[in-house]
């Protein structure tokens, strides 16, 4: 039963012709995959996961909250985690909105390569470009962060393509003669 509900929900998401909804869904998916990859790589490289997660949250939250958030030992703070999460979601949403129309037009292999390139570009912008304004991000540079950004880029284009319905479905949805409503037999 649970699988059938999930399948119907995913089918509905695929039918939605709204860039913000598709971009949000793709951003959440890609962000989750990238975080999973990053945590796994931290574990495999014997990096202290919780402390590094708290450090990265403070680095991100400092964009809005100021550098005072960076002082002291990394401890759990709800406000820091909320701000960091909102910033990451916002950036991921913008990245997804940019990638969505491009991912639609590329073939599968080209989209995956473009996604990897996009992830590397996001890494370069975030950890080299933004460090001109927010120099504290230099500490987060490294192979694990590169891998997480690669995972983000690839999973983002996969999600953009997955949440984008086929052109025929869009055409059928926009044609009033083929639209089906609740209780309308067809």
């Amino acid at each position: 039963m649970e699988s059938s509900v999930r399948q119907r929900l995913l089918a509905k998401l695929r039918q939605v012709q709204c860039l913000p909804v598709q971009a949000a869904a793709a951003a959440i998916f890609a962000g989750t995959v990238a975080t999973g990859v990053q945590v796994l790589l931290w574990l495999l490289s014997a990096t202290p996961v919780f402390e590094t997660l708290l450090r990265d949250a403070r680095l991100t939250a400092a964009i809005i909250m100021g550098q005072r958030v960076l002082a002291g030992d990394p401890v759990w703070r709800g406000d820091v985690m909320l701000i960091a999460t909102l910033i990451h979601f916002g950036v991921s949403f913008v990245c997804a909105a940019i990638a969505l129309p491009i991912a639609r037009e590329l073939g599968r292999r080209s989209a995956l390569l473009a996604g990897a390139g996009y992830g590397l570009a996001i890494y370069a912008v975030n950890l080299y470009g933004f460090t001109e304004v927010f120099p504290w991000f230099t500490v987060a540079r490294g192979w694990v962060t590169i891998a997480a950004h690669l995972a983000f880029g690839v999973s983002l284009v996969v999600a953009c393509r997955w949440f984008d319905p086929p052109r025929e479905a869009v055409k059928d949805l926009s044609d009033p003669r083929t639209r089906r409503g609740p209780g309308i037999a067809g």
Side-chain angles (χ1 to χ4, degrees):
M1 168 127 171
E2 186 177 307
S3 143
S4 133
V5 170
R6 184 174 160 262
Q7 288 172 342
R8 283 187 297 206
L9 175 63
L10 290 174
K12 288 287 184 194
L13 273 174
R14 285 190 205 131
Q15 289 177 353
V16 173
Q17 282 302 292
C18 177
L19 177 68
V21 172
Q22 290 171 316
I28 290 168
F29 175 79
T32 301
V33 169
T35 301
V37 166
Q38 190 165 30
V39 168
L40 178 64
L41 292 175
W42 283 339
L43 287 169
L44 292 174
S45 65
T47 301
V49 174
F50 191 66
E51 291 83 358
T52 307
L53 178 69
L54 293 177
R55 179 207 67 192
D56 286 359
R58 291 179 346 162
L59 296 174
T60 304
I63 293 170
I64 290 177
M65 299 175 80
Q67 291 185 32
R68 70 183 185 287
V69 174
L70 302 172
D73 292 330
V75 294
W76 176 268
R77 284 188 45 191
D79 59 337
V80 168
M81 294 305 287
L82 176 65
I83 295 297
T85 300
L86 291 174
I87 290 170
H88 268 106
F89 178 74
V91 170
S92 296
F93 176 81
V94 169
C95 290
I98 293 167
L100 190 61
I102 297 164
R104 289 177 174 163
E105 302 303 322
L106 297 175
R108 184 179 309 156
R109 198 170 291 148
S110 298
L112 292 174
L113 288 172
Y118 193 44
L120 289 175
I122 293 167
Y123 174 84
V125 168
N126 286 349
L127 289 146
Y128 286 90
F130 285 159
T131 55
E132 294 299 315
V133 179
F134 308 111
W136 54 85
F137 276 106
T138 57
V139 71
R141 293 177 183 162
W143 71 272
V144 171
T145 309
I146 292 171
H149 281 79
L150 278 168
F152 177 82
V154 170
S155 59
L156 182 65
V157 296
V158 167
C160 285
R161 290 173 56 84
W162 196 71
F163 287 117
D164 187 36
R167 298 290 175 248
E168 302 79 43
V170 174
K171 189 173 139 192
D172 288 347
L173 287 172
S174 63
D175 185 350
R177 296 171 294 167
T178 60
R179 223 180 271 156
R180 305 265 189 261
I184 299 173

